[in-house]
Amino acid sequence: MKKLLMGLGYLIPFTLMAEIPGEQKVVFDCASDDMDYVSSRMWLIAETAKEFEEKSIPFKMVLTIHSGCTEIISKEAAKEDETIQKIQKRVTELSKKYHVSIEACELAIQSHHLKKEDILPVVRTVRNSITRVIMLQTEGYAVITYH
């Protein structure tokens, strides 16, 4: 019995030292104009969030949208394209269900001639998505690019 208690006494500190995952921070940087590829990546973001939730790992996620990817936030573009409709449904789910911050580049919005009322309501704008990604990376966010 004494040996058992001594053995447990040695193991308990190691058990307590086992690393508990901290908050995971990631920014998904979408610039691709390949809508099938973008659609598959939106699915993957949702799967990542599901996995973190299942494992009770706290997380913060940001999706930055610019360049060729900007089209996915346009309500007008979705009227004519089933793939964009599917992407927009997923983007809305990411925002509402998984609390992913959806951020579109104002410079890209201007270059695509989009009006504020044409943009999905879950999207917030940032002046420049490149400087935004730089700031997030400085804050410890992993950067996953979809270009």
Side-chain angles (χ1 to χ4, degrees):
M1 181 67 148
K2 186 176 179 181
K3 287 182 182 180
L4 177 65
L5 291 174
M6 283 180 56
L8 287 174
Y10 286 118
L11 291 175
I12 289 174
F14 292 108
T15 305
L16 295 175
M17 288 175 24
E19 192 167 322
I20 298 169
E23 181 177 61
Q24 301 300 300
K25 300 188 291 188
V26 60
V27 55
F28 299 96
D29 184 49
C30 187
S32 178
D33 63 357
D34 179 341
M35 292 301 121
D36 290 327
Y37 173 69
V38 170
S39 181
S40 72
R41 299 306 86 183
M42 296 304 128
W43 173 83
L44 190 55
I45 295 170
E47 289 301 307
T48 303
K50 283 181 198 175
E51 182 177 342
F52 284 150
E53 283 187 346
E54 288 168 2
K55 293 180 177 179
S56 299
I57 298 172
F59 63 92
K60 285 185 181 175
M61 292 183 175
V62 178
L63 169 61
T64 57
I65 299 166
H66 60 98
S67 301
C69 195
T70 305
E71 187 176 16
I72 71 168
I73 64 168
S74 168
K75 294 177 196 173
E76 190 65 33
K79 289 179 182 176
E80 303 167 13
D81 191 311
E82 287 183 28
T83 303
I84 293 176
Q85 291 170 17
K86 181 179 172 182
I87 293 168
Q88 288 185 357
K89 184 176 179 181
R90 179 75 70 183
V91 165
T92 300
E93 175 193 39
L94 289 171
S95 174
K96 292 184 177 189
K97 185 173 182 179
Y98 300 110
H99 309 289
V100 176
S101 179
I102 313 298
E103 302 178 359
C105 177
E106 291 174 4
L107 299 173
I109 289 169
Q110 290 169 3
S111 73
H112 282 81
H113 308 290
L114 298 179
K115 293 178 172 58
K116 188 172 183 160
E117 57 273 5
D118 186 37
I119 296 172
L120 291 177
V122 296
V123 175
R124 128 183 149 83
T125 63
V126 295
R127 174 76 182 126
N128 180 339
S129 64
I130 303 252
T131 55
R132 178 66 173 143
V133 170
I134 291 167
M135 290 186 290
L136 290 167
Q137 192 169 18
T138 302
E139 293 174 20
Y141 280 71
V143 178
I144 310 297
T145 58
Y146 299 144
H147 294 194

